[in-house]
Amino acid sequence: LISNGSIDVNITGWAAKGSASAPTQTTSDHFEGAGAGSVVTNTTAGNGAKFAVTLSPSTQYTLSLYVKASGSNFSTLSIGRDDVSGTDVDCLTSQTAVTTGWTNFSCTFTTGSTITNSFIYLDQSDTTSRTILFDAVQLQTGATATPFQLGLQQINGVINSPLAIQNFSNSTGEFQVQNAAGTSLLKVDSTNTMVTVANLTDSVPLS
């Protein structure tokens, strides 16, 4: 539902929220692909980036994205949507973004009965001017956020040589193994140096 969630080619569709500077594309740091979004918030709460999308009334959606802090960590990240123009409805608040890697955030919401000029957003709740990086943004109907993808690949064979996987940047979703329903059974988190296995009560540190 987000036509430019990868931001690999340009920043088309993304706009400033509040009095933030216009979002730009950066190719020097990204979660996936060749680019990510970057927005300078300036010194007003509620500033950030938004993307216009046509929401249906009384419908359940799941919004997910990856965010990285630039300069210093911060814990005032919010994501959400406007059903009615001018009325922010936060889906997550007081979230922490770090400079050491890309963190995945997702939340599920149900729209109201009236929809006018709807959009999704990420912003800050404080008044510190900062740069926020964002990538792999997707909006899906239902209560499940699937991994961000631009397509599918199949490898029908046996890999009989050493294999190393090295992402462009650290993230909370470096590597995943999922079942057919899209539920993660194994997840490697290079930002926090953790491996999470389904049905275990605790994640396993790698160091």
Side-chain angles (χ1 to χ4, degrees):
L1 300 176
I2 305 296
S3 59
N4 190 17
S6 67
I7 320 172
D8 285 340
V9 177
N10 53 45
I11 198 69
T12 298
W14 289 94
K17 181 177 183 290
S19 57
S21 300
T24 59
Q25 184 209 36
T26 177
T27 57
S28 61
D29 196 357
H30 42 82
F31 167 70
E32 58 77 42
S38 174
V39 63
V40 178
T41 61
N42 298 321
T43 56
T44 302
N47 282 0
K50 62 182 182 180
F51 194 95
V53 60
T54 302
L55 300 174
S56 298
S58 305
T59 301
Q60 186 182 63
Y61 292 94
T62 296
L63 173 63
S64 62
L65 72 165
Y66 281 82
V67 175
K68 186 176 181 180
S70 177
S72 60
N73 300 347
F74 69 99
S75 299
T76 57
L77 175 71
S78 299
I79 65 173
R81 94 282 180 180
D82 274 32
D83 290 349
V84 179
S85 180
T87 304
D88 292 352
V89 183
D90 290 336
C91 191
L92 285 178
T93 60
S94 303
Q95 301 300 298
T96 299
V98 298
T99 60
T100 53
W102 291 86
T103 303
N104 179 236
F105 300 98
S106 67
C107 62
T108 299
F109 60 86
T110 299
T111 56
S113 58
T114 300
I115 305 293
T116 59
N117 300 318
S118 53
F119 58 83
I120 58 95
Y121 63 81
L122 63 145
D123 66 15
Q124 63 179 21
S125 60
D126 66 339
T127 58
T128 299
S129 180
R130 60 172 56 89
T131 299
I132 303 175
L133 305 178
F134 55 96
D135 201 0
V137 185
Q138 60 183 1
L139 181 68
Q140 301 167 278
T141 55
T144 302
T146 61
F148 185 84
Q149 61 182 15
L150 297 178
L152 299 174
Q153 299 289 333
Q154 291 186 343
I155 301 176
N156 297 315
V158 176
I159 299 174
N160 61 1
S161 62
L163 176 66
I165 298 174
Q166 182 178 13
N167 282 3
F168 183 85
S169 297
N170 289 337
S171 74
T172 55
E174 178 107 6
F175 177 78
Q176 295 186 57
V177 175
Q178 299 186 327
N179 63 17
T183 301
S184 290
L185 305 178
L186 174 69
K187 180 183 288 187
V188 177
D189 174 353
S190 57
T191 297
N192 301 298
T193 323
M194 302 288 287
V195 172
T196 301
V197 180
N199 298 322
L200 290 182
T201 55
D202 295 305
S203 298
V204 181
L206 295 177
S207 60

